Amino acid sequence: MSLRRALHFVFKVGDRNKTATFYRDVLGMKILRHEEFAEGCKATCNGPYDGKWSKTMVGFGPEDDHFVAELTYNYGVGEYQLGNDFLGLTLQSSQAVSNAKHLGWPLTEVGEGLYLTQAPGGYHFYLLDKEQPPNDPVQKVCLGVSDLQRSTYYWSTLLGMKVMEKNEEKKTVLMGFTDTQCKLELHDIGGTVDHGTAFGRIAFSCPREQLPALEALMKKENQKILTPLVSLDTPGKATVEVVILADPDGHEICFVGDEAFRQLSMVDPKGNDLLDKAMAEDKSDEWFAKHNKQKAAA
């Protein structure tokens, strides 16, 4: 399973401008690529919406060796309701802490050299006030679960992750495919997991040849498959194959064929300009204001 790797987490965003400020100016990430779509994704990448939307990949470096964020924006939706499913993303960067203080972005010290901040929409980010490492600064993503033992079985035995650390006092398990990648932390919240309307999705890649076997294993184990093996087209770019799963608490998990994804995910030097252009041309806020209406709240 060492050939599997963590790729990104999908966040639904209602305000692209504020969101771009947070990722670029506070965290110090770069826009890796930006794509606009006229209709919804057939693997529901943008959620259960069939209208115009965009996808922006942001990170500290290329997706080949960095865990990044996928920001999906649905043009008619202004806000999403958070649940207790996504509990935070932790990254190591004293520069991000410094940026937040300089810009007046709210920070709360929650541990020695550890700060909690929020992305627009309320998503939690934990900033470790240490020098940014030469490799990927993103350390872990934490998801809430209702039964830690059941979830550990699912992610380790069925998906092949290695258990790296258990903390019975905090009711957490830290896992990963390799030591050098962003880790997944499962945290037992002692109750039902609520995904709200902002429900995210975590993505991993594996050799394309493993996708049918992974799908077959989930069928055999009576686990939920949200989207059976399907090909996704991005105009002018590589076609990728994906299987979308759901763990016992309904966390969405995307597995994508690695070979085609490496082609699809190449950094686009025009990404930053494409995002700025899309935001400048997005008159949806003005239209809603002119008609004295509010954007939909999902």
Side-chain angles (χ1 to χ4, degrees):
M1 300 302 181
S2 61
L3 294 175
R4 296 183 179 183
R5 61 191 179 99
L7 298 177
H8 56 257
F9 193 86
V10 181
F11 297 97
K12 293 184 183 66
V13 303
D15 187 324
R16 259 193 317 197
N17 288 278
K18 286 182 181 175
T19 299
T21 296
F22 176 75
Y23 284 92
R24 288 195 288 204
D25 301 341
V26 177
L27 298 185
M29 289 184 175
K30 298 178 178 66
I31 305 300
L32 305 173
R33 51 193 173 99
H34 176 81
E35 293 149 359
E36 294 279 328
F37 300 90
E39 56 187 31
C41 171
K42 61 183 177 181
T44 63
C45 304
N46 62 313
Y49 308 99
D50 58 7
K52 185 180 179 184
W53 67 289
S54 75
K55 172 168 66 179
T56 308
M57 309 304 295
V58 294
F60 288 103
E63 291 173 77
D64 272 359
D65 50 13
H66 289 74
F67 188 84
V68 309
E70 177 177 317
L71 311 175
T72 63
Y73 171 73
N74 291 291
Y75 275 78
V77 184
E79 61 179 310
Y80 299 88
Q81 176 194 339
L82 291 182
N84 58 8
D85 52 349
F86 173 79
L87 299 182
L89 183 149
T90 301
L91 61 93
Q92 179 179 318
S93 173
S94 54
Q95 185 60 56
V97 174
S98 176
N99 292 344
K101 290 178 178 177
H102 177 70
L103 294 169
W105 203 277
L107 286 176
T108 303
E109 191 164 10
V110 293
E112 188 175 345
L114 183 65
Y115 293 87
L116 168 64
T117 190
Q118 290 186 12
Y123 302 107
H124 284 189
F125 280 71
Y126 292 91
L127 310 181
L128 193 57
D129 194 4
K130 290 183 179 179
E131 185 177 351
Q132 195 167 302
N135 53 349
D136 190 5
V138 180
Q139 296 188 332
K140 66 180 179 181
V141 172
C142 184
L143 301 180
V145 300
S146 61
D147 183 329
L148 192 57
Q149 186 174 351
R150 180 182 63 176
S151 293
T152 302
Y153 170 82
Y154 179 92
W155 288 88
S156 62
T157 304
L158 300 185
L159 295 188
M161 276 193 163
K162 182 168 64 172
V163 174
M164 298 173 172
E165 189 180 300
K166 290 184 179 181
N167 189 319
E168 293 186 11
E169 184 181 348
K170 292 183 178 179
K171 296 183 178 179
T172 60
V173 171
L174 190 70
M175 328 175 76
F177 285 119
T178 68
D179 296 337
T180 57
Q181 295 181 14
C182 171
K183 310 299 188 300
L184 173 68
E185 183 176 69
L186 303 177
H187 182 186
D188 195 325
I189 60 173
T192 304
V193 175
D194 173 18
H195 296 276
T197 57
F199 58 90
R201 174 181 289 177
I202 192 164
F204 303 91
S205 73
C206 65
R208 187 261 163 241
E209 64 183 17
Q210 291 183 10
L211 291 174
L214 178 62
E215 183 180 44
L217 174 63
M218 291 300 153
K219 286 180 180 176
K220 178 187 167 197
E221 295 288 332
N222 293 316
Q223 298 294 333
K224 187 174 282 188
I225 299 172
L226 299 176
T227 304
L229 185 59
V230 64
S231 295
L232 299 181
D233 296 322
T234 299
K237 296 189 177 182
T239 296
V240 298
E241 292 176 89
V242 305
V243 173
I244 315 288
L245 312 173
D247 82 347
D249 287 298
H251 289 290
E252 295 189 1
I253 309 157
C254 173
F255 272 91
V256 58
D258 189 74
E259 300 86 347
F261 185 78
R262 286 185 185 271
Q263 297 176 43
L264 173 71
S265 63
M266 290 175 65
V267 175
D268 182 356
K270 298 177 183 175
N272 205 57
D273 292 339
L274 289 172
L275 172 61
D276 285 339
K277 180 175 182 285
M279 291 192 298
E281 293 176 351
D282 180 2
K283 306 300 182 185
S284 58
D285 286 339
E286 293 175 22
W287 187 93
F288 279 93
K290 180 180 177 181
H291 292 81
N292 200 26
K293 294 181 178 181
Q294 284 189 321
K295 276 191 175 181

